[in-house]
């Protein structure tokens, strides 16, 4: 019931009305239910499903795709929802080090609702090499939340995605193709998939089986001439041969492919928002070897660990076995966001921090190289029990 107050000509009349308010309020409170409030609400439960956080997962299958690529399928504790094109972090303890890497999910979003998720990994670098050579069915890993914006956005994107994939960069597009085929997503997908040779193409059989009026795949070989394939690189002429009308470009592959594609795409005069690139992890830098001292505060504990000038601050913490949070390892997600107390650092590439982060002394350890001894406060990674 709404109370309507009328302003009295004499102020003291308002005071009389006010006097009645307290008993009226008591009366209303007495009418209310004394049942305890629910312990949880539907919206919180939904949020837990959408954002399960870190969870432990068992490796249930390993399938070799090419000479240097394997697909790893994990069974998760909880079902979760992700959008085709997103990535998850996969991590475990190797010796004394806590190691994790982000990988684009190659399975369909629907499979994750049944607690299955797969990543396809090319053998290169420390963790991917470990997975390739050592990981076996039954091993336990820690998976992070599905993350990233490398997805079809119906509000922003044209419903025709032209995908440029290089090598293992096909994985997010394979997930998208499956999502279109099973009705989870609704857009047209034209994939230009570049590889050196036919032998290096991942998921050829699977992609061919998904081809439809909505999904088209053009294979482009750079080092081999074969019937049924395009040859050379994915350039403007090739795009014009297969694509017409309006489209959004999404690319995933090595940095050299991005540089080449950027030049070729000028022929289409696309606005910047129509070109989306998946970020690559920051690697080591080419400088003289030198070891700095890193003082790290995590929760109520303080650690002092060595930091190699060639590697990022995040890698230094992981090598020392510290549980530092990370997701994209490319400066994009802000998950590793840490407060710098002292020391100098260099950024890998562009500064992707918010303006306020720079101003108030926050850094992203995943893309910062140490240039002196450093001291920082790092948030605690919320890992599952025992991991
Ligand atoms: S891990 Fe994403 S910004 Fe550092």
């Amino acid at each position: 019931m709404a109370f309507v107050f009328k302003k009295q000509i004499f102020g003291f009349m308002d005071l009389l009305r006010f006097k009645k308010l307290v008993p009226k309020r008591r009366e209303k409170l007495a009418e209310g239910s004394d049942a305890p409030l629910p312990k949880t609400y539907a919206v919180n439960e939904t949020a837990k499903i959408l954002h399960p956080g870190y969870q432990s997962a068992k490796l249930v299958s390993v399938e070799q795709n090419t000479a240097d690529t394997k697909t790893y399928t994990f069974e998760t504790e909880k079902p979760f929802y992700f959008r085709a094109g997103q990535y998850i972090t996969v991590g475990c303890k190797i010796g004394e080090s806590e190691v994790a890497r982000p990988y684009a999910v190659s399975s369909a979003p629907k499979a994750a609702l049944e607690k299955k998720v797969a990543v396809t990994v090319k053998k290169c670098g420390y963790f991917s090499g470990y997975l390739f050579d050592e990981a076996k069915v039954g091993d336990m890993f820690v998976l992070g939340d599905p993350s990233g914006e490398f997805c079809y956005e119906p509000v922003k994107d044209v419903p025709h995605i032209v995908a440029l994939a290089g090598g293992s960069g096909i994985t997010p597009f394979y997930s998208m193709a499956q999502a279109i085929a099973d009705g989870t997503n609704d857009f047209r997908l034209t994939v230009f998939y570049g590889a050196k040779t036919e032998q290096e193409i991942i998921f050829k059989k699977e992609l061919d089986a998904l081809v439809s009026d909505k999904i088209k795949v053009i294979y482009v070989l750079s080092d081999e001439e074969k019937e049924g394939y395009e040859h050379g690189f994915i350039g403007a002429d090739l795009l014009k041969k297969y694509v017409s009308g309006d489209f959004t470009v999404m690319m995933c592959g090595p940095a050299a492919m991005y540089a080449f594609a950027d030049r070729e795409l000028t022929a289409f005069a696309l606005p910047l928002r129509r070109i989306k690139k998946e970020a690559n992890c920051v690697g080591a830098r080419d400088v003289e070897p030198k070891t700095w001292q890193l003082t790290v505060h995590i929760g109520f504990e303080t650690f002092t660990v060595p930091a190699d000038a060639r590697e990022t601050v995040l890698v230094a913490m992981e090598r020392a076995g510290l549980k530092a949070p990370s997701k994209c390892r490319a400066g994009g997600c802000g998950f590793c966001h840490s407060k710098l107390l002292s020391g100098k650092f260099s950024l890998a590439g562009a500064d992707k921090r918010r303006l306020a982060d720079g101003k108030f002394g926050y850094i992203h350890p995943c893309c910062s190289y140490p240039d002196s001894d450093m001291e920082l406060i790092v948030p605690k990674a919320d890992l599952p029990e025992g991991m």
Side-chain angles (χ1 to χ4, degrees):
M1 189 176 83
F3 292 96
V4 181
F5 284 92
K6 282 191 197 146
K7 183 126 176 64
Q8 300 296 313
I9 303 169
F10 303 108
F12 73 90
M13 294 292 280
D14 278 336
L15 277 177
L16 286 178
R17 281 179 183 278
F18 181 72
K19 221 175 123 194
K20 287 187 199 155
L21 265 181
V22 175
K24 196 78 192 164
R25 190 167 58 195
R26 285 200 183 121
E27 200 182 294
K28 289 289 162 197
L29 285 172
E31 279 173 17
S33 165
D34 59 357
L37 289 172
K39 289 215 165 40
T40 181
Y41 294 87
V43 67
N44 299 110
E45 294 309 307
T46 309
K48 276 189 212 159
I49 294 168
L50 293 178
H51 309 286
Y54 287 108
Q55 56 176 316
S56 48
K58 188 200 270 186
L59 182 59
V60 290
S61 98
V62 180
E63 191 192 330
Q64 182 124 19
N65 304 104
T66 67
D68 61 357
T69 315
K70 288 182 183 176
T71 294
Y72 302 84
T73 304
F74 299 92
E75 191 171 82
T76 55
E77 284 176 338
K78 304 170 215 161
F80 62 91
Y81 174 78
F82 77 92
R83 293 184 294 159
Q86 285 193 301
Y87 67 85
I88 53 169
T89 53
V90 179
C92 68
K93 196 164 174 124
I94 305 176
E96 290 309 307
S97 304
E98 294 284 346
V99 193
R101 288 290 178 277
Y103 296 110
V105 179
S106 54
S107 49
K110 265 193 178 168
L113 298 176
E114 285 151 22
K115 303 191 197 172
K116 290 277 180 9
V117 63
V119 295
T120 302
V121 179
K122 186 180 167 75
K123 184 181 181 180
C124 72
Y126 180 58
F127 188 67
S128 301
Y130 168 82
L131 279 180
F132 200 88
D133 294 331
E134 308 289 339
K136 53 188 186 313
V137 168
D139 287 354
M140 295 301 293
F141 290 83
V142 178
L143 305 188
D145 264 341
S147 307
E149 304 299 324
F150 193 69
C151 308
Y152 169 64
E153 303 281 0
V155 176
K156 205 167 81 176
D157 297 330
V158 177
H160 180 195
I161 297 293
V162 170
L164 313 187
S168 58
I170 189 64
T171 50
F173 303 123
Y174 177 43
S175 180
M176 287 180 203
Q178 292 171 84
I180 294 169
D182 68 23
T184 306
N185 278 155
D186 185 19
F187 59 92
R188 262 192 321 132
L189 179 67
T190 303
V191 183
F192 291 84
Y193 181 9
K196 283 185 182 157
T197 63
E198 186 188 39
Q199 292 297 317
E200 292 187 16
I201 293 176
I202 312 165
F203 300 130
K204 170 127 188 5
K205 197 158 50 83
E206 293 85 346
L207 284 166
D208 287 345
L210 289 169
V211 167
S212 66
D213 55 337
K214 287 193 172 165
I215 302 165
K216 197 192 282 183
V217 188
I218 299 105
Y219 301 98
V220 188
L221 304 180
S222 62
D223 293 10
E224 197 176 46
E225 295 246 345
K226 278 210 153 191
E227 206 183 316
Y229 294 90
E230 292 289 349
H231 305 105
F233 296 103
I234 306 166
D237 290 344
L238 194 61
L239 293 176
K240 282 178 189 161
K241 181 174 167 184
Y242 289 96
V243 177
S244 58
D246 217 359
F247 56 88
T248 291
V249 174
M250 294 178 75
M251 51 178 114
C252 185
M257 183 191 103
Y258 291 179
F260 180 78
D262 277 343
R263 285 195 298 275
E264 295 295 306
L265 286 169
T266 54
F268 297 88
L270 294 170
L272 264 185
R273 66 177 184 284
R274 293 271 185 83
I275 302 176
K276 296 159 74 161
K277 295 172 195 162
E278 181 62 315
N280 288 316
C281 286
V282 172
R285 67 172 168 173
D286 190 14
V287 294
E288 286 299 308
K290 186 166 178 66
T291 304
W292 299 107
Q293 187 170 285
L294 195 62
T295 305
V296 183
H297 305 278
I298 303 182
F300 294 112
E301 293 181 283
T302 298
F303 307 88
T304 303
V305 303
D308 188 327
R310 294 168 297 181
E311 295 181 331
T312 64
V313 173
L314 176 63
V315 170
M317 292 191 282
E318 289 177 337
R319 280 198 188 282
L322 306 186
K323 292 179 168 61
S326 73
K327 275 190 181 176
C328 69
R329 305 179 80 92
C333 71
F335 203 63
C336 63
H337 184 253
S338 301
K339 170 84 176 160
L340 178 68
L341 299 180
S342 66
K344 289 189 283 184
F345 66 96
S346 296
L347 286 167
D351 190 349
K352 296 181 189 163
R353 293 174 298 169
R354 292 170 300 184
L355 276 181
D357 286 343
K359 187 170 172 190
F360 296 108
Y362 284 88
I363 64 164
H364 291 159
C366 69
C367 53
S368 304
Y369 298 108
D371 288 336
S372 71
D373 289 342
M374 293 173 77
E375 183 173 5
L376 58 161
I377 302 172
V378 175
K380 212 170 181 171
D382 187 18
L383 294 170
E385 208 61 36
M387 303 303 278

